[in-house]
Amino acid sequence: MSDKELRKKSDKQAIDQFIHQVRTLPKQRAGQGRLIFALDATASREATWDQACHLQSELFMATRDLGGLAIQLCYYRGFGEFKATQFVNETGQLLNLMNGVSCLGGRTQISRVLAHAMKETRAEAVKAVVFIGDCCEEPVDELCHTAGELGLLRTPVFMFHEGNDAHARAVFQQVSKLSGGAYAPFDRNSPQVLKDLMAAVAVYASGGATALQDFSSRSSPAVKRLTEQLR
């Protein structure tokens, strides 16, 4: 076996060991959770931003009987612009915040989303991060490293991928796996899928794995596939 093959095998073993470590961390406990709702607000996402504005109420409605949810809106756009709001507890508050944002051309800043999530959860536990985006223009190794740190902090990242960009799919899958979260694709022409996925993560953040399992048993195939990744 060549040196290159040995290094490749060693790297794979290290990754597998790390993923196993993340997977065996304790599950979330029930109670009011904090969730970061992060969005790519660059120009290519304008149509889906409007869709997300209409569907964001699902994050709150799905958790009313589970202790509720506090949500922080986080987004990037333009030339290095990155914003994070306060945590809010009502759908009207979140909608007002989202309506105040318009999409603007720029490069992706997923690394800033993940770094911000780390900062927040070190201050007070964040039970889940939802990210909605369509592409990735950043170094993969940096993103995966931060995602792994979030996994150790028990802050899973749920990567919802719009479109069919193959590079983005591969990166999003790695980020979700290393953080202990899950990956799911969606189509802007199928808003019900995004609605169900958002509701599923809200249930997980508020009620933990048991609540998500119960929700999944009554939900769509997309939610069932999402839930299976957490096992």
Side-chain angles (χ1 to χ4, degrees):
M1 186 177 293
S2 68
D3 289 344
K4 184 177 180 181
E5 289 173 327
L6 286 171
R7 285 196 302 271
K8 185 175 181 181
K9 182 177 180 181
S10 177
D11 289 344
K12 183 180 185 303
Q13 289 174 337
I15 292 171
D16 289 343
Q17 183 179 6
F18 183 80
I19 292 173
H20 175 73
Q21 183 180 7
V22 171
R23 288 296 187 189
T24 55
L25 289 169
K27 298 295 184 181
Q28 302 283 8
R29 291 178 295 178
Q32 185 177 53
R34 299 205 313 160
L35 180 147
I36 293 176
F37 184 32
L39 295 163
D40 177 335
T42 56
S44 64
R45 300 278 345 289
E46 189 167 4
T48 312
W49 181 277
D50 292 339
Q51 187 180 85
C53 285
H54 290 294
L55 298 179
Q56 51 78 31
S57 61
E58 295 303 315
L59 293 169
F60 292 102
M61 292 176 63
T63 65
R64 285 178 177 174
D65 298 327
L66 296 171
L69 198 64
I71 298 176
Q72 179 187 68
L73 174 64
C74 179
Y75 65 90
Y76 58 78
R77 64 177 188 171
F79 183 65
E81 183 180 355
F82 177 86
K83 301 287 186 183
T85 71
Q86 72 274 25
F87 281 87
V88 298
N89 299 89
E90 297 178 3
T91 185
Q93 292 175 298
L94 184 60
L95 182 58
N96 287 338
L97 292 170
M98 293 183 71
N99 283 338
V101 180
S102 59
C103 293
L104 188 64
R107 298 178 67 84
T108 64
Q109 300 180 60
I110 302 170
S111 61
R112 294 184 71 177
V113 171
L114 300 180
H116 173 75
M118 280 187 58
K119 180 180 177 181
E120 286 286 1
T121 203
R122 281 173 172 160
E124 183 180 345
V126 173
K127 292 192 174 180
V129 177
V130 170
F131 175 79
I132 301 179
D134 61 351
C135 64
C136 178
E137 301 162 306
E138 302 164 67
V140 178
D141 290 343
E142 179 183 346
L143 296 177
C144 288
H145 179 79
T146 311
E149 291 184 304
L150 283 168
L152 293 175
L153 291 170
R154 289 179 284 180
T155 303
V157 183
F158 294 82
M159 303 292 285
F160 295 160
H161 179 204
E162 175 193 356
N164 54 14
D165 184 281
H167 175 68
R169 178 173 63 248
V171 175
F172 289 7
Q173 287 175 334
Q174 289 183 64
V175 168
S176 63
K177 189 172 186 178
L178 287 167
S179 70
Y183 163 89
F186 74 94
D187 189 307
R188 70 177 62 184
N189 297 316
S190 304
Q192 183 63 42
V193 173
L194 182 57
K195 176 181 176 180
D196 291 346
L197 292 171
M198 289 167 64
V201 178
V203 167
Y204 174 79
S206 183
T210 301
L212 177 59
Q213 190 66 43
D214 180 64
F215 179 83
S216 175
S217 68
R218 299 176 279 104
S219 194
S220 65
V223 171
K224 290 181 173 65
R225 287 192 293 270
L226 188 82
T227 304
E228 287 170 357
Q229 293 179 59
L230 296 174
R231 293 176 182 170

